[in-house]
Amino acid sequence: MTALTLSTAGAATLRADALVVGVGKGSASKTGSLVLAPGSEAVDQAFGGKLAAVLEALGATGAEGEVTKLPAPEGLKVPVVIAAGLGSAPEKGEAYGAEALRRAAGSAARTLSGSKKAGFALPTDSAEDAGAIAEGALLGAYAFTAYQQGENKLAPKGKKNGNGPKPALGEVALIGAKPRDKAFKAATERAIAVAEEINRARDLINTPPNDLYPESFAAVATAAGKEHGIKVQVLDEKALVKGGFGGLLGVGQGSTHGPRLVKLAYTHPKAEKTLALVGKGITYDSGGISLKPAGHNETMKCDMSGAAAVFAAVVAAARLGLKVNVTGWLALAENMPSGNATRPGDVLRMYSGKTVEVLNTDAEGRLVLADALTRASEENPDAIVDVATLTGAMVLALGNRTFGIMANDDAFRTSIHEIAEEVGEASWPMPLPADLRKGMDSPTADIANMGERMGGGLVAGLFLQEFVGEGIAWAHLDIAGPAFHEGAPYGYTPKGGTGSSVRTLVRLAERTADGDLG
């Protein structure tokens, strides 16, 4: 993990491999539209007041995500200056938004792979600004290299093969972040905890399914629980059979890796509210007997992203010492086709006692979540939020960067949407139309696991709602789009697992601790 420090040195005196400053995009109607952001004053002075002109000559515009490198002049203790685009410059008297700072810091950090230390002299008018820069830089510096060869075993000892990955940026030094100020210190310590847990979630999502399966995921959760004072309970196959968890067992019975239900319980002695988080943890999804078509299997290690997000959020809540009880439920199974697999047409008896006719074994996430939602409801929390890479229909509706929010309470749904926007996670509130429920009527069982094709993401939400305890506020986050990024990295978002929704869940826990559940 990249280290983070609050530097007491100024931009002109910091010794590092590079120095990052911010530039904004001014009005296109004006000559010299590039705007230097606060924090760049010492660098501009070293350039004789011509930093903006030099950057414009190199083609820089200040657009979001743009990174421009140039050699540092005399007067600076670094060899390289990096100008990170912040997007449209704010009006006079206003400041750059937190998300603009996160993305600029993340873009710069990504370009600094292999460097030992870099100074970040982006605008830090407030502790919140410092926290956003820290979070963006730590997330942007992330790299998953566990399975990439750094040493060539056939070459002379110590020789690299030339194809090994560069290490992540070693240290981020925040300039102007007031290291002796309690608010700045708290904001950056929070950013470190949240970013480290998001990166832990990313590691889990990126781990190949031959190494990450229900039992090994449960072992990771157990180890983290011991480290952070979280009580962990793991229900293995025997316990699931004894408890009647038909959804988890039905999905997992086709695999040699048996299913697990993992409970993580973080409690605070002064907590007045309890928040339950439920995560879909399909460690690999082949579709089961309803096998996925060619081209859809290669990234299905990411189908446990919801469980990874829930796990990370609970650990983050513990690390932050939030005055709220947070319980995480990881519904873990591997969905495989075999002679033992559940067949289309089979009927499963769920933990709730309801029976479900399985019309499509690739609609498996809702089955494991249903058991976990029922179990979580038994503890009567103040609210339940489930997170899942649940439907391709949600990707068709909202694209690859936005997750959908459904809920049984409009105010709660609105609150989560506002929280997601606040922390920089794109989301959109979605309805639960009652008329779509009829499509899941079954002549054989209480309900079928499939309904109408159109509005399939909403149908899945209606199915889950059937398993939430009466009187409990509940929301469902379908993160199928943003959970796994297959394109080129951008901002602080890497290729592969993203850790989508962790920041939303953590902020929800913070608000709940403050008495503002929504």
Side-chain angles (χ1 to χ4, degrees), residues 268-356:
H268 192 284
K270 295 183 180 180
E272 297 181 357
K273 298 286 186 179
T274 297
L275 183 64
L277 308 177
V278 178
K280 173 187 172 182
I282 303 300
T283 56
Y284 182 74
D285 183 19
S286 69
I289 296 297
S290 305
L291 193 65
K292 291 181 181 293
H296 289 73
N297 283 291
E298 290 77 7
T299 60
M300 281 300 102
K301 65 181 181 180
C302 78
D303 213 19
M304 36 59 67
S305 296
V310 165
F311 168 54
V314 175
V315 176
R319 292 181 60 175
L320 296 171
L322 302 183
K323 293 180 182 179
V324 58
N325 297 328
V326 184
T327 303
W329 300 88
L330 314 183
L332 308 177
E334 186 177 64
N335 187 25
M336 296 291 285
S338 75
N340 294 324
T342 293
R343 296 151 292 225
D346 283 355
V347 173
L348 305 178
R349 185 170 295 278
M350 311 297 283
Y351 179 69
S352 68
K354 288 187 179 185
T355 54
V356 176

Side-chain angles (χ1 to χ4, degrees), residues 13-293:
T13 58
L14 179 75
R15 294 184 181 276
D17 297 314
L19 182 63
V20 179
V21 297
V23 291
K25 191 174 183 179
S27 173
S29 62
K30 296 180 180 179
T31 303
S33 60
L34 196 73
V35 178
L36 299 180
S40 63
E41 295 84 0
V43 179
D44 186 37
Q45 185 177 356
F47 275 90
K50 297 182 179 180
L51 177 58
V54 171
L55 288 169
E56 286 190 321
L58 293 173
T61 65
E64 183 180 289
E66 182 182 80
V67 174
T68 307
K69 291 185 178 182
L70 62 164
E74 292 184 9
L76 300 179
K77 304 296 184 181
V78 297
V80 176
V81 170
I82 294 178
L86 288 161
S88 297
E91 297 295 327
K92 188 175 181 179
E94 297 182 359
Y96 286 97
E99 184 63 6
L101 295 174
R102 279 190 208 99
R103 293 181 179 180
S107 296
R110 283 193 295 105
T111 69
L112 287 162
S113 296
S115 300
K116 291 182 178 180
K117 181 179 180 179
F120 282 67
L122 295 170
T124 51
D125 293 335
S126 66
E128 290 74 19
D129 290 344
I133 296 166
E135 191 175 86
L138 294 176
L139 293 176
Y142 172 81
F144 185 69
T145 61
Y147 292 81
Q148 292 177 303
Q149 183 178 314
E151 290 271 337
N152 183 353
K153 295 181 179 180
L154 300 179
K157 187 175 180 180
K159 291 289 185 180
K160 299 288 183 179
N161 64 5
N163 297 319
K166 290 182 179 179
L169 170 62
E171 180 185 343
V172 169
L174 292 191
I175 297 171
K178 301 179 183 178
R180 294 180 180 85
D181 186 291
K182 289 184 179 179
F184 277 80
K185 187 177 180 181
T188 51
E189 286 179 348
R190 178 194 181 277
I192 291 170
V194 173
E196 286 184 352
E197 293 314 315
I198 290 173
N199 287 339
R200 189 205 296 259
R202 290 170 169 181
D203 282 347
L204 287 167
I205 297 164
N206 290 327
T207 299
N210 56 319
D211 282 342
L212 189 75
Y213 41 89
E215 184 179 1
S216 62
F217 195 154
V220 171
T222 300
K226 290 180 181 178
E227 180 182 357
H228 297 289
I230 301 167
K231 291 183 180 179
V232 180
Q233 179 186 14
V234 180
L235 298 186
D236 61 12
E237 288 172 277
K238 289 183 179 179
L240 293 173
V241 170
K242 184 177 180 180
F245 291 86
L248 275 157
L249 291 165
V251 173
Q253 71 188 41
S255 173
T256 56
H257 297 297
R260 298 287 187 274
L261 179 61
V262 180
K263 175 187 176 183
L264 303 101
Y266 160 69
T267 57
H268 192 284
K270 295 183 180 180
E272 297 181 357
K273 298 286 186 179
T274 297
L275 183 64
L277 308 177
V278 178
K280 173 187 172 182
I282 303 300
T283 56
Y284 182 74
D285 183 19
S286 69
I289 296 297
S290 305
L291 193 65
K292 291 181 181 293

